Amino acid sequence: MTGVPASAAGGPSGTQGARGTAAADGVAPEVSGSAPGSDVTTTDARLPRGGKIAAAAVNQASVWNVANLLTMLRLVLVPGFVALMLADGGYDPAWRSLAWAAFAIAMITDLFDGHLARTYNLVTDFGKIADPIADKAIMGAALICLSALGDLPWWVTAVILGRELGITLLRFLVIRYGVIPASRGGKLKTLTQGVAVGMYVLALTGWLASLRFWVMAVAVVLTVVTGLDYVRQAIVLRRRGIAERAAALEEKEA
């Protein structure tokens, strides 16, 4: 492949190449030194004027992608949701409907931001940290508000939040051995929780009020079952990782 001179970085094609490199590698497209026989001069002294600043700007701008913006939107919606949920004593149907709209937007964006990040290579360190925080924050805020208003038993809130926080901590504890993938049961649990909590946020009456009880019951069962399954996966992953390390150490010593 023919190298591209560094002076071409200011042109349209050069700009596109720099953005592609920054997005793919997560670093500025510059290193000290140059490869023998290469047409690309990468010393700091020969970068085009403002090249370092432009490269840094590309890296900084990569955080402000559409996936991260959706995550930020969810974080902003949390205090707004709480304010709407508790407005006028927390029992006004109009305010509760607005709170439901905020909750629904947060749940919908949760479905898209991770998919967009993986599909279009928009994964960033900020997104890895902020996305699970935003998920737990909006769900936790809704459950706590519902329990505080007396619409949902506190033990349900404790079971769901305890499971979510526990599994998140468990993932961090075993990350040295590998990653626990999201299961279909886990995705179904998330969907069921969202529907159940959304039904409780709305001021429903009659048979819909009875229906939401059963939807929440299914959500709680899925929460417990999938939580236990993640614990099992973590134990298997840890044992496998320890065995592989021991085998590698024995092979090295031999």
Side-chain angles (χ1 to χ4, degrees), residues 2-96:
T2 304
V4 180
S7 59
S13 60
T15 303
Q16 183 176 1
R19 289 179 180 175
T21 304
D25 300 333
V27 294
E30 56 168 305
V31 292
S32 57
S34 59
S38 173
D39 295 334
V40 182
T41 304
T42 56
T43 56
D44 293 343
R46 298 189 182 184
L47 277 174
R49 180 174 299 178
K52 294 176 67 176
I53 298 176
V58 168
N59 285 337
Q60 293 174 5
S62 64
V63 177
W64 299 93
N65 59 63
V66 63
N68 286 345
L69 290 175
L70 290 176
T71 299
M72 294 177 197
L73 174 62
R74 290 211 310 283
L75 289 170
V76 172
L77 283 173
V78 173
F81 167 81
V82 173
L84 292 170
M85 190 71 182
L86 301 179
D88 198 16
Y91 296 103
D92 185 270
W95 289 112
R96 293 284 285 261

Side-chain angles (χ1 to χ4, degrees), residues 146-166:
L146 289 170
S147 294
L149 292 172
D151 293 339
L152 192 67
W154 277 106
W155 70 266
V156 173
T157 296
V159 167
I160 294 178
L161 291 186
R163 184 268 191 199
E164 299 301 329
L165 296 177

Side-chain angles (χ1 to χ4, degrees), residues 79-223:
F81 167 81
V82 173
L84 292 170
M85 190 71 182
L86 301 179
D88 198 16
Y91 296 103
D92 185 270
W95 289 112
R96 293 284 285 261
S97 297
L98 292 175
W100 176 86
F103 181 81
I105 292 173
M107 291 294 100
I108 291 172
T109 58
D110 181 31
L111 297 176
F112 287 104
D113 59 356
H115 174 73
L116 289 173
R118 291 186 297 270
T119 302
Y120 298 101
N121 195 25
L122 301 176
V123 178
T124 63
D125 290 337
F126 170 81
K128 293 177 184 178
I129 297 173
D131 182 66
I133 291 177
D135 297 343
K136 306 299 184 292
I138 189 66
M139 183 60 70
L143 290 168
I144 291 173
C145 285
L146 289 170
S147 294
L149 292 172
D151 293 339
L152 192 67
W154 277 106
W155 70 266
V156 173
T157 296
V159 167
I160 294 178
L161 291 186
R163 184 268 191 199
E164 299 301 329
L165 296 177
I167 296 303
T168 300
L169 178 61
L170 186 64
R171 286 179 183 273
F172 281 111
L173 291 177
V174 300
I175 196 170
R176 70 181 67 177
Y177 305 110
V179 176
I180 304 176
S183 63
R184 291 183 178 179
K187 295 177 181 179
L188 180 60
K189 177 270 306 177
T190 300
L191 176 61
T192 308
Q193 280 184 1
V195 173
V197 172
M199 294 179 73
Y200 269 87
V201 169
L202 286 172
L204 299 178
T205 58
W207 68 272
L208 288 175
S210 300
L211 177 62
R212 71 182 182 182
F213 169 83
W214 293 107
V215 176
M216 180 60 75
V218 173
V220 171
V221 171
L222 288 174
T223 297

